[in-house]
Amino acid sequence: MPNITEKELSDLRASLLTYRKQLQQEIHDELIKEGSSSSMALAGKVHDKQEESLSEMLTEINLAMLSQHQHELKNLERALRRMDGGEYGTCIDCDAPIAIARLQAYPTAVRCISCQATHEKE
Ligand SMILES: [Zn+2]
C-alpha cells in the first residue's frame, strides 16, 4: 500500500468498523421489522385488501433495503480482509493504487475510478 500512510489506514479501518456496526444494527432492525410484519399478517391484524397490499409493499421495500445492506456489509468485510492481507487500496482489476481521497469517500472501494467506471458500464 504505497500510497496510504499508517495513520490514514487506521482512520479508514476505524470508519469501516463504525460503518459495520451501523449496518449490522440496521440489518438487525430490518430482520425484526420483517418478522413482525409477516407475523402481523399471519395474526390477521391486516383487515382489508388495501392494508394487505400496503403491508406487502412495505415488506418488499424492507427486503430490498435488507439485501442492499447485506451486500454493503459483504463489501465491507471484504475491505477489512484486504486490509489485513495488505491488499487494501490496490485496484482489483488493474493493480494500480486507489487514490486516498476515493478511499476516504468510499472506504469499501476495491477499484480505481477508471476501472469502476468500466465495471459499471458492463
Ligand atoms: Zn483499476
Side-chain angles (χ1 to χ4, degrees):
M1 288 173 271
N3 62 331
I4 306 177
T5 66
E6 286 291 317
K7 171 80 174 78
E8 285 164 340
L9 193 66
S10 72
D11 286 351
L12 283 166
R13 180 187 288 272
S15 51
L16 281 172
L17 291 174
T18 308
Y19 187 37
R20 178 165 73 173
K21 214 181 256 176
Q22 274 173 14
L23 272 178
Q24 283 168 336
Q25 183 61 45
E26 275 169 39
I27 289 172
H28 177 80
D29 291 350
E30 280 153 5
L31 285 173
I32 288 177
K33 249 191 276 169
E34 168 55 18
S36 67
S37 63
S38 342
S39 55
M40 204 169 81
L42 281 178
K45 285 190 184 141
V46 175
H47 296 298
D48 55 33
K49 275 280 159 218
Q50 212 179 343
E51 270 182 54
E52 204 173 300
S53 59
L54 181 69
S55 104
E56 268 169 30
M57 200 177 77
L58 289 175
T59 304
E60 264 169 48
I61 293 171
N62 189 34
L63 284 179
M65 289 290 288
L66 186 60
S67 75
Q68 172 67 27
H69 285 145
Q70 278 167 337
H71 181 73
E72 281 172 39
L73 187 62
K74 236 162 91 187
N75 286 341
L76 200 152
E77 300 283 1
R78 172 148 92 155
L80 285 170
R81 271 202 309 275
R82 297 188 84 224
M83 229 173 229
D84 291 336
E87 301 163 327
Y88 186 76
T90 303
C91 175
I92 56 168
D93 286 349
C94 71
D95 280 337
I98 302 171
I100 183 71
R102 173 163 165 73
L103 290 171
Q104 280 160 345
Y106 306 102
T108 57
V110 291
R111 287 182 183 84
C112 67
I113 280 185
S114 61
C115 292
Q116 185 63 37
T118 315
H119 179 73
E120 278 168 14
K121 257 184 260 160
E122 275 161 15

